[in-house]
Amino acid sequence: MTDSPNDVTPDRLSKADALPPSDQHAQQYAAVRNAHETELIEDYVELIADLQEHQGEARSTDIAARMGVSQATVSKMVTRLKALELVSSKPYRSLFLTEKGERMAAMSHQRHAIVLQFLRALGVSDRTARIDAEGMEHHVSQETLDVMQRFARAQERRSS
């Protein structure tokens, strides 16, 4: 592959891009830490909503299988989700989202759909777009989501 003037490499970034002012840099890292903190919680809540919608119930065994984790890991997370008042359950029964959990799941679904639509509009394969969207949805601002959505819709209109 040959270099073109448009290739973005670290040596082509401006000094300001490579090392922004310290307050901005701190804000960037704080946003990432916050996203990491809520990422797993949102993934579980989103999956519980999906299981309820498509299978009629969300069982810990199904969550473990779909997340690729052990039942013990799911049990620990369910305890955390209950403490955050996002889910409820009864012994030996399915999990149920609370109103707060349903709101989080809806927001997470919307973010996921926008990122997935954007990646597909860029020409990313469906398989890769699904994998990438799963992580990216937690790390983009509302401003970026809005731009992604406008871009994807414009691309969709062009191809119709």
Side-chain angles (χ1 to χ4, degrees):
M1 191 160 86
T2 61
D3 283 346
S4 77
N6 295 327
D7 287 344
V8 178
T9 59
D11 60 319
R12 293 198 178 168
L13 289 175
S14 72
K15 198 170 197 173
D17 287 334
L19 194 59
S22 59
D23 60 328
Q24 181 184 342
H25 216 181
Q27 193 174 16
Q28 289 170 205
Y29 284 114
V32 170
R33 281 193 304 275
N34 183 51
H36 282 304
E37 196 172 301
T38 60
E39 187 171 354
L40 195 55
I41 292 167
E42 289 176 354
D43 284 343
Y44 270 83
V45 169
E46 187 176 4
L47 178 57
I48 291 167
D50 288 342
L51 289 169
Q52 287 176 329
E53 181 181 339
H54 297 285
Q55 295 183 359
E57 65 180 351
R59 299 178 312 144
S60 292
T61 54
D62 295 327
I63 295 168
R66 290 187 175 274
M67 297 286 276
V69 298
S70 70
Q71 293 261 141
T73 299
V74 172
S75 181
K76 287 177 191 172
M77 180 54 81
V78 167
T79 299
R80 188 172 173 195
L81 295 174
K82 285 180 182 178
L84 293 168
E85 300 177 347
L86 296 168
V87 300
S88 64
S89 69
K90 294 180 179 158
Y92 308 105
R93 299 276 321 272
S94 299
L95 297 168
F96 302 94
L97 291 175
T98 62
E99 284 184 34
K100 184 178 175 183
E102 287 174 358
R103 284 191 306 272
M104 179 182 274
M107 180 211 58
S108 191
H109 277 122
Q110 181 183 25
R111 294 173 69 87
H112 184 92
I114 291 168
V115 174
L116 184 60
Q117 182 183 25
F118 172 73
L119 293 172
R120 287 174 174 161
L122 289 176
V124 176
S125 71
D126 184 66
R127 178 178 169 82
T128 301
R130 287 176 181 274
I131 292 167
D132 291 349
E134 195 56 52
M136 291 172 64
E137 71 188 75
H138 306 286
H139 297 273
V140 294
S141 67
Q142 188 59 51
E143 177 185 356
T144 301
L145 282 169
D146 292 345
V147 172
M148 287 175 156
Q149 190 170 40
R150 282 194 306 272
F151 177 85
R153 285 181 177 162
Q155 288 296 105
E156 195 174 290
R157 282 192 299 273
R158 280 187 207 116
S159 62
S160 295

